[in-house]
Amino acid sequence: MPPKDPKLELLQGTLDLLILRTLRSGPAHGHAIAQHIRRTSEEVLQVETGSLYPALHRLEAQGLIDAEWELSDKGKRAKFYKLTRAGQKQFTAEENKWQQLSAAIGRVLAGSTGETP
Amino acid sequence: MSAFRRLLSWFRRGASLPRREADLNEELRFHLEAEADERREAGLSDRAAVASARRDLGNLSHVKEEARAAWGWSFLDGLVQDLRFGARTLGSDRTFTVAAILSLALGIGANTAIFSVIHSVMLRELPIKDPQRLVQIRQGQNGELTNPIWEQIRDHQRVLDGTLAYSPERFDLSEGVEREDAQGIWVSGGYFHVLGVPAMMGRVLTSADDDRRSGSASNQVAVISDRFWKRKFGGGEVIGRTLRVNRQRFEIVGVTPPWFRGLDADRSYDIAIPLAAEPLIRTDRSALDNRSMWWLYILGRLKPGASVESAGAQLSALSRAVFAETLPADWSSETQANYLSSKLTLRGIPTGFSETGDRYERGLWTLMGIAGLVLLIACANIANLMLARASARQRELSVRMAIGARRLRVLRQLLTESLLLAALGSAAGFLFAMWGSRLLVGMLSGPASGVAIDLYPDAQVLAFTMGVTVLTALLFGLAPSVRATRTQANPVMKESSHGIRGRTSRAGLGKALVALQVALSLVLLVGAGMFLGSLRKLLAVDVGFSKDNLLLVSADARQTAIPDERRVAAFDDALQRIRAIPGVDSAATSLITALSGRGWNGRLEVEGFVPQTPRDAMAFFNRVSPGYFHTMRTPLLIGRDFTQQDHLHAPAVAIIDASSAAKFFGGRNPIGKSIAIRGPAKRPAEIYEVVGVVKDVKYASLSEAKRYSVYLSSLQDPLGSSQISYEIRVRGLSNEVVPAVREAFAAVDANISIGFGDMESQVDESVRLQRLVALLSVAFGVLALVLAMVGLYGVTSYSVARRRSEIGIRMALGARAASVVWLVLRGVAVLMLIGIALGLWASIAAGKLVESLLFDVKPNDTWHIAAAALTLAVASAAAAYLPARRASRLDPMEALREE
């Protein structure tokens, strides 16, 4: 099996977070979510289809997002996902955790300059 | 998320699997379209846009699989996928599939068939309430007790929660001259109640029906079985109707439900009659007060909470009192002392009685062992086939693993395929088993024996079949699968037929399996030879008389008005009439028919002979008419036969057989000397003068050891037996004589009931088991041989295919066709020798187990082993020859060219 892109390893848990955040702005289908993440991150985060859809289905199975078939802006049928109440709560909790984590990492990085490793 | 919610959503999703699948497809298609659109807008051509989008999407099936995994479908979905794929692969390789299913069907089918019979006959619990608490009361090891003992137990025991007594008997239901047999049982009043059998119609018997004091009319009631009801009365109105049992009238009061067939596992009872009615049927031979007539089985039910041991101990304490009350007065003091000191014992019998089971137990388990071996061979075959197939599919599997399938997943798919094969094989096997077990039962029963085995597939047999199936699947699915998925992708994909490294081990397993098959086949062939030889020897036994064209008639005068003292004359009258029938060569009577399994024995006292042990003086008796030996074609060696002059008022005479003459008289001439016969009673011994010596005759069965026979004259029968047998030597067909025989009896007394048989059938009946085992072991032996040869053929073909380039090189270098053939056969010969050696060792071990089934054949007779080994060698050579010849016909250029 070819080794996975190291960048993606990090995003295993955070992909869920990004999806939830994207859907906070309103319902969207899978492709739109991927586009949104790409644009908002200024092309840094390219979400692979192989990770996106499994994540979406997982979140749906967990009851954090709901899915419905609607017509896209081009007139074609697409599966639109939207955030549920549980998803909203989960997002807030995850976002807090992320903030704490990144703050902590930041402190460690800042404090280590000038010291011997 | 809680496990419960996951499970719930799993079910919900699972239920709409196809829709989910379609949804996912559509979703991904939409995504693909959207990506392609983006690229089109960016300027790419249509085709390039789509191609680029698809590339970016990555492995579509992988995505789908991951998405599906998120739903937790993985297991179920995977299973369905595996099954579909498995079915497709099996369908494409039809030869393999058919061969595999056939092997399995035969192996599993044979095992299940035999197990169903064993189960029905020996292992199945009675369908009554709480069979585990059913116990049998015996005197020591003796299960048949007297009626006085029964009455003592019934009236005085407090240990058990209800007792019953019963005895099987064949009743005559006819109203005319010729017998109409029915399977009956004598039962005590509490029989149905203790067993917990209700009446389906009418009522069952109660203790009021079994009361000796209440007069015969109230005892003349009967309960019939559902089976008998349907057979004789067609299921019509039957309560209150009269049935003639041995010419006495009985009123039918009830019918039992279809699931109750009596206490005998291998029979179904027809009529149940109270014990108290016995004097009506047996008349002056009534056994109800006879302290020496052993005929009743006594059973009981344990009290709740009691164990067999505790109840047994309590019952044992009653023994002294019971036996003191029922002591036979006319026995010798020695036998009396034995009687008084014996003990009542208990044993559980949840499966009821089975004469067939007892008689055939060894035979049936032997057959089971044989079938097991055949299944093993079939499994080895399939394992080999799977191995070969796995090698052929090596590339496919490696590629699949290379593009991302996990090893476990591939393994699971291969295993599912094996299970599918096993399932198909066992379905076919089950059908085969149903046919086979019916065949087996047909061979075990017969109208004469009265055996009626009830076969129906029930939970245990089903569990057994499924157990065997799963075991088989694991056996032949696992090894090849593990091997197939162990190899690394690269070396395999670079493979060519030059490469032999890493595959000799697989070939080694295949060869080991074939050697095993050869070994097992040898065991089976040797076994078949032994059983066949045993049967042949048995049938060739010199019985001492001529079996052909011998019509047997059993005559019963109990329902006539003929008084005891007139019976002898009446039977003699019938005999003279029969002798006058044209078509009858000769005729005679006897008390006991030869080879019927019945017997009458006692102790001989001869002057000058001192027995070492009481058994030493034992001899077997029979009472025969004048002309008996002539009719039976038994040679009279010295002296004379009985004559009409040897009647009741003449001196008592006897004829002995050659063995008795040698044993009891040493080398002296016995003619004119006297012998004394002593029974167990205290009566004085009866003295007889020896007037003739005849050749030894087989008394009760073909395989019996030497017996000492003494014949007495039927005209000197002091008791006037009410039942005797007629032996009629017929010229031509027996059927022509039968009506005249009927008339002869009718002329003497219309109420003599008669039944017809013939000696040939009787002999067949006595070797039923041996014939069954011989037939089946030969059938299985041939089957095993065929399977092993198919395996050998397969392995040799595979090995030849593998070595194509090697052979091609050899031939290109100048090897001749013959030497190539020899090359292949040499490998096979080695395998065969190893197999035979293994088989020899196994035969010797197995031979000891079946020794008791053999007659006059030593296990592991050299001749049999040599014959079996030779057969195997020839068959192996034939099986391996074809692929070997194909190898020698190889065009070297083609073989080398193929890569």
Side-chain angles (χ1 to χ4, degrees):
Chain A
M1 194 111 176
K4 283 196 167 153
D5 191 351
K7 219 186 328 179
L8 241 47
E9 296 293 333
L10 252 174
L11 282 171
Q12 279 291 334
T14 43
L15 179 59
D16 290 5
L17 186 61
L18 296 177
I19 292 173
L20 290 175
R21 176 62 185 85
T22 311
L23 289 178
R24 213 151 158 258
S25 323
H29 56 67
H31 186 245
I33 295 172
Q35 264 187 336
H36 181 263
I37 292 175
R38 210 176 60 224
R39 283 202 213 104
T40 327
S41 70
E42 291 167 26
E43 304 297 319
V44 176
L45 301 173
Q46 317 260 4
V47 184
E48 280 203 9
T49 327
S51 325
L52 176 67
Y53 285 96
L56 283 171
H57 285 240
R58 194 170 50 239
L59 289 170
E60 189 186 346
Q62 288 171 345
L64 299 174
I65 59 180
D66 256 339
E68 249 179 50
W69 284 91
E70 312 246 341
L71 289 179
S72 74
D73 49 356
K74 295 248 177 63
K76 297 214 188 94
R77 231 169 75 97
K79 201 173 184 188
F80 279 80
Y81 295 92
K82 79 171 199 286
L83 208 59
T84 64
R85 191 107 46 93
Q88 184 88 280
K89 278 202 284 201
Q90 180 80 353
F91 168 71
T92 321
E94 289 293 316
E95 197 188 12
N96 275 336
K97 269 203 276 189
W98 173 256
Q99 303 286 25
Q100 286 176 6
L101 187 66
S102 73
I105 293 177
R107 282 199 296 277
V108 173
L109 288 175
S112 73
T113 49
E115 285 180 6
T116 44
Chain B
M1 178 156 109
S2 77
F4 179 64
R5 271 201 75 179
R6 273 206 93 105
L7 200 68
L8 211 62
S9 75
W10 185 80
F11 269 118
R12 261 185 285 137
R13 311 310 171 209
S16 54
L17 209 72
R19 191 161 61 82
R20 293 285 151 191
E21 189 73 29
D23 276 359
L24 185 59
N25 281 332
E26 192 170 349
E27 191 177 6
L28 288 171
R29 238 200 331 263
F30 175 83
H31 185 101
L32 197 65
E33 262 301 304
E35 287 282 328
D37 280 346
E38 254 180 35
R39 280 151 232 267
R40 272 188 220 111
E41 271 156 34
L44 268 79
S45 77
D46 202 24
R47 203 185 312 159
V50 171
S52 161
R54 214 172 261 159
R55 239 181 297 128
D56 274 3
L57 195 72
N59 185 348
L60 195 64
S61 20
H62 186 68
V63 175
K64 280 203 231 175
E65 196 165 306
E66 291 287 325
R68 276 194 224 112
W71 284 109
W73 288 346
S74 191
F75 183 67
L76 190 65
D77 183 49
L79 190 66
V80 171
Q81 205 182 26
D82 286 346
L83 282 172
R84 284 219 301 259
F85 188 68
R88 224 174 37 221
T89 7
L90 287 177
S92 63
D93 192 354
R94 232 158 285 187
T95 346
F96 162 78
T97 311
V98 168
I101 291 182
L102 207 65
S103 308
L104 269 178
L106 290 172
I108 293 180
N111 273 278
T112 311
I114 294 178
F115 188 71
S116 318
V117 175
I118 291 184
H119 177 72
S120 297
V121 160
M122 294 194 292
L123 301 175
R124 189 167 58 199
E125 283 188 347
L126 293 169
I128 58 175
K129 166 181 80 169
D130 238 345
Q132 287 296 329
R133 291 204 298 132
L134 200 64
V135 291
Q136 181 191 11
I137 303 177
R138 302 185 294 171
Q139 179 193 34
Q141 296 283 1
N142 177 27
E144 289 172 283
L145 305 179
T146 67
N147 190 61
I149 294 180
W150 155 242
E151 287 180 347
Q152 283 296 309
I153 293 179
R154 179 191 65 196
D155 297 335
H156 297 121
Q157 74 83 26
R158 300 273 174 270
V159 179
L160 298 171
D161 198 11
T163 51
L164 64 92
Y166 98 104
S167 181
E169 174 87 52
R170 286 188 79 75
F171 291 133
D172 177 16
L173 300 179
S174 75
E175 309 197 17
V177 172
E178 192 164 343
R179 286 178 72 99
E180 184 190 328
D181 278 328
Q183 186 63 38
I185 40 174
W186 296 108
V187 298
S188 62
Y191 178 86
F192 293 102
H193 174 74
V194 173
L195 290 179
V197 177
M200 183 175 71
M201 285 170 56
R203 65 171 181 87
V204 289
L205 298 178
T206 61
S207 22
D209 301 311
D210 190 29
D211 194 344
R212 288 176 72 180
R213 295 161 304 195
S214 65
S216 65
S218 65
N219 305 135
Q220 282 173 265
V221 288
V223 167
I224 62 176
S225 69
D226 174 82
R227 197 156 164 264
F228 180 68
W229 172 51
K230 295 201 169 91
R231 195 183 79 216
K232 178 136 172 98
F233 298 101
E237 198 38 59
V238 86
I239 307 294
R241 275 175 76 157
T242 312
L243 205 56
R244 282 213 182 263
V245 180
N246 288 30
R247 315 230 193 265
Q248 301 299 323
R249 310 176 75 108
F250 279 79
E251 182 194 342
I252 300 177
V253 296
V255 181
T256 53
W259 49 263
F260 182 67
R261 304 166 76 239
L263 287 171
D264 293 289
D266 57 345
R267 269 156 234 271
S268 171
Y269 90 99
D270 291 327
I271 311 171
I273 292 182
L275 278 172
E278 189 257 10
L280 272 171
I281 309 275
R282 292 229 186 107
T283 57
D284 51 335
R285 294 274 186 275
S286 167
L288 290 188
D289 291 313
N290 188 329
R291 296 181 175 195
S292 312
M293 177 82 150
W294 306 81
W295 61 298
L296 283 175
Y297 295 96
I298 304 181
L299 287 81
R301 201 174 261 295
L302 286 175
K303 288 205 168 107
S307 71
V308 175
E309 292 76 28
S310 65
Q314 289 179 300
L315 195 68
S316 189
L318 286 177
S319 314
R320 184 95 201 166
V322 166
F323 292 125
E325 268 302 310
T326 61
L327 186 64
D330 57 347
W331 280 13
S332 69
S333 34
E334 192 194 324
T335 17
Q336 277 188 342
N338 277 341
Y339 184 86
L340 285 172
S341 63
S342 58
K343 292 271 175 261
L344 291 174
T345 59
L346 273 188
R347 68 166 181 169
I349 44 152
T351 58
F353 298 102
S354 173
E355 193 194 321
T356 313
D358 297 333
R359 277 175 76 188
Y360 297 154
E361 188 174 355
R362 274 240 121 153
L364 285 173
W365 284 118
T366 305
L367 286 176
M368 184 93 191
I370 293 178
L373 286 181
V374 171
L375 182 64
L376 223 64
I377 296 180
C379 286
N381 241 9
I382 302 197
N384 252 339
L385 288 169
M386 292 291 275
L387 263 178
R389 233 161 76 89
S391 302
R393 291 172 71 186
Q394 195 55 61
R395 296 192 77 156
E396 174 210 334
L397 294 176
S398 307
V399 168
R400 282 171 69 187
M401 288 207 285
I403 60 173
R406 295 190 309 272
R407 182 175 173 218
L408 219 62
R409 187 76 180 73
V410 174
L411 212 63
R412 207 179 73 197
Q413 193 270 316
L414 288 174
L415 211 60
T416 311
E417 205 175 297
S418 320
L419 275 169
L420 184 63
L421 199 62
L424 287 171
S426 85
F430 201 67
L431 287 172
F432 176 68
M434 287 180 69
W435 170 81
S437 52
R438 257 177 253 287
L439 191 72
L440 257 179
V441 168
M443 295 179 85
L444 280 176
S445 22
S449 63
V451 170
I453 298 176
D454 194 24
L455 263 187
Y456 56 89
D458 69 8
Q460 275 193 309
V461 177
L462 217 59
F464 175 73
T465 319
M466 289 180 75
V468 171
T469 309
V470 171
L471 209 68
T472 317
L474 288 178
L475 246 164
F476 70 70
L478 209 55
S481 306
V482 168
R483 279 178 175 278
T485 52
R486 189 184 295 165
T487 51
Q488 296 296 325
N490 256 337
V492 177
M493 290 205 283
K494 282 199 289 211
E495 83 181 16
S496 64
S497 54
H498 291 315
I500 48 173
R501 197 166 50 91
R503 265 167 323 134
T504 43
S505 56
R506 197 176 307 133
L509 181 65
K511 288 193 172 146
L513 283 173
V514 171
L516 182 70
Q517 285 181 315
V518 169
L520 291 175
S521 301
L522 185 76
V523 173
L524 288 177
L525 283 176
V526 170
M530 288 195 307
F531 290 129
L532 205 59
S534 178
L535 181 66
R536 237 188 14 202
K537 287 243 166 91
L538 204 57
L539 288 175
V541 158
D542 182 6
V543 289
F545 58 86
S546 169
K547 294 177 263 176
D548 318 305
N549 293 332
L550 198 62
L551 182 66
L552 301 172
V553 183
S554 64
D556 186 349
R558 284 177 303 180
Q559 305 310 129
T560 65
I562 305 174
D564 280 16
E565 59 272 15
R566 292 267 323 137
R567 282 209 192 113
V568 174
F571 282 134
D572 194 50
D573 186 10
L575 181 61
Q576 304 306 335
R577 283 173 197 273
I578 289 174
R579 283 183 176 149
I581 299 174
V584 168
D585 175 86
S586 45
T589 68
S590 66
L591 193 59
I592 294 173
T593 320
L595 298 182
S596 63
R598 293 202 295 272
W600 163 28
N601 60 2
R603 277 185 312 171
L604 267 190
E605 284 171 11
V606 178
E607 198 185 311
F609 175 77
V610 179
Q612 322 286 37
T613 67
R615 265 195 98 83
D616 211 19
M618 189 161 74
F620 284 83
F621 302 113
N622 201 350
R623 224 174 244 294
V624 303
S625 72
Y628 177 78
F629 301 107
H630 168 72
T631 308
M632 298 297 277
R633 308 273 189 267
T634 303
L636 183 67
L637 299 173
I638 48 177
R640 65 167 180 87
D641 189 8
F642 297 128
T643 64
Q644 297 291 123
Q645 276 67 52
D646 297 311
H647 52 68
L648 216 47
H649 304 296
V653 289
I655 296 178
I656 64 177
D657 68 357
S659 301
S660 308
K663 177 171 177 177
F664 294 102
F665 290 94
R668 301 168 289 147
N669 186 347
I671 308 291
K673 306 262 188 329
S674 15
I675 58 175
I677 298 177
R678 192 180 287 284
K682 283 210 184 100
R683 288 200 299 271
E686 295 157 3
I687 315 265
Y688 297 82
E689 181 193 337
V690 178
V691 296
V693 177
V694 291
K695 184 174 161 194
D696 282 6
V697 154
K698 288 290 174 193
Y699 190 87
S701 80
L702 290 175
S703 54
E704 69 188 16
K706 192 202 275 289
R707 291 199 195 195
Y708 303 96
S709 301
V710 172
Y711 302 90
L712 306 176
S713 169
S714 62
L715 297 172
Q716 292 184 330
D717 184 1
L719 298 171
S721 308
S722 54
Q723 294 165 292
I724 64 173
S725 301
Y726 284 73
E727 286 84 12
I728 305 174
R729 183 75 61 187
V730 185
R731 281 187 221 106
L733 291 171
S734 327
N735 294 347
E736 294 166 356
V737 165
V738 164
V741 171
R742 275 205 208 102
E743 270 175 38
F745 280 103
V748 173
D749 187 312
N751 282 323
I752 299 179
S753 78
I754 55 176
F756 290 93
D758 71 278
M759 185 52 82
E760 294 228 36
S761 310
Q762 194 140 295
V763 170
D764 282 347
E765 179 68 32
S766 69
V767 295
R768 185 180 290 279
L769 174 65
Q770 284 86 346
R771 178 169 280 138
L772 180 67
V773 173
L775 197 70
L776 285 181
S777 66
V778 168
F780 281 141
V782 170
L783 188 65
L785 189 65
V786 168
L787 281 172
M789 290 311 109
V790 167
L792 189 62
Y793 175 84
V795 161
T796 318
S797 300
Y798 170 65
S799 139
V800 161
R802 203 168 38 85
R803 295 163 75 184
R804 278 181 78 126
S805 54
E806 178 201 335
I807 295 175
I809 291 175
R810 282 177 189 266
M811 293 190 77
L813 289 177
R816 288 195 339 268
S819 68
V820 171
V821 170
W822 174 236
L823 179 73
V824 175
L825 285 181
R826 205 176 54 201
V828 169
V830 169
L831 255 177
M832 218 191 52
L833 284 170
I834 296 177
I836 289 182
L838 253 163
L840 256 166
W841 175 82
S843 287
I844 293 175
K848 293 195 180 54
L849 290 170
V850 295
E851 202 156 357
S852 62
L853 284 174
L854 298 173
F855 176 74
D856 200 17
V857 168
K858 272 205 238 326
N860 309 312
D861 192 69
T862 328
W863 159 241
H864 283 128
I865 293 182
L870 194 67
T871 316
L872 257 179
V874 169
S876 306
Y881 183 66
L882 278 151
R885 210 163 71 121
R886 233 186 301 131
S888 70
R889 293 258 193 81
L890 269 181
D891 179 9
M893 287 311 291
E894 273 207 38
L896 286 171
R897 203 176 296 143
E898 154 190 298
E899 271 308 278

